[in-house]
Every structure is written in structure tokens, then in C-alpha cells.
Amino acid sequence: QISKQPSCPWSMQHLRLLAVLFAVLLCPVWSHSKKKEFKELKKKDRRDEKTFAAEEHRLESDLQAAKAAEANEAKLLKAEREEEAAAENRAERAEEEAARAEEVTNESQGIA
């Protein structure tokens, strides 16, 4: 009987051993690159979070400033309306006083 031997001097066991050895040698390199990539992503996430927090704080400050400005404007409008109402009241009282004075004058001239 003629035994058929593979023409390649490397048997399957040798190839498997070589593949395992190759994987064992490359695994730390691959793992290191993945760890480095992960660290960089974490740094980027932290920067993004800080940027987001700063932007959120700025927007909150802008909102508070807008609310304060709106409240001040409302107070000014209210004060202006009150002032106008007071001026109208003074004008009405002055007209009433003038009308009374005229009546008194007319009555005193009528009596005299």
C-alpha cells in the first residue's frame, strides 16, 4: 500500500499551532490598540460632556437674563401705565376743580 502523504511539509497540526501562535503574539498588540482607541473615545466623550454642560449653562444664563429683562420691561410698562393713569386723574381733578371754580364764580356773579 502506498500511503498518500500531503505534498506540503506542514501538517494541519502545524498550521493550527502557527495560527494560535500568531494570534497569541498579535492579541496584545490588537488589545493595546483597542484600549488606546477606547481611552481616546472616553476623552472625547468627556470633552463633549464638558462642552455640552458649558453650552447648557450658557443657554440657562441667557434664558435667565431674558426672563429678567422681560420682568423689568413689564415693571417699566406697569409703572408707565400707573403714571399715565395718575396724570389722567390729576387732569380730571383739575378739570373738575376748574368747573367748580367756574360754577362758584358764576353763582357769585349771579348773586352780586
Side-chain angles (χ1 to χ4, degrees):
Q1 288 188 356
I2 301 174
S3 142
K4 292 189 176 181
Q5 299 237 343
S7 60
C8 179
W10 295 89
S11 69
M12 283 306 274
Q13 288 176 343
H14 285 110
L15 290 176
R16 284 188 195 128
L17 183 61
L18 187 61
V20 168
L21 184 62
F22 188 71
V24 166
L25 291 175
L26 280 185
C27 191
V29 173
W30 182 78
S31 176
H32 177 72
S33 72
K34 287 297 173 185
K35 284 180 186 175
K36 188 175 179 182
E37 185 179 322
F38 181 72
K39 284 181 183 178
E40 288 174 4
L41 284 174
K42 271 179 90 173
K43 280 183 187 177
K44 184 180 181 298
D45 283 348
R46 277 192 225 117
R47 281 193 304 266
D48 289 348
E49 285 175 9
K50 287 179 183 177
T51 303
F52 178 75
E55 183 69 14
E56 186 177 36
H57 179 70
R58 186 187 65 78
L59 290 174
E60 283 290 328
S61 297
D62 290 352
L63 180 63
Q64 292 299 328
K67 284 181 180 178
E70 189 176 332
N72 285 339
E73 188 175 333
K75 286 179 185 176
L76 290 174
L77 286 174
K78 183 179 177 185
E80 189 176 305
R81 285 188 202 124
E82 288 174 354
E83 188 177 316
E84 287 175 0
E88 286 177 14
N89 287 340
R90 284 192 300 269
E92 287 176 8
R93 275 189 251 130
E95 285 178 11
E96 289 172 1
E97 298 244 344
R100 279 191 216 131
E102 190 176 326
E103 284 177 22
V104 170
T105 305
N106 288 341
E107 285 177 7
S108 62
Q109 285 177 356
I111 295 175

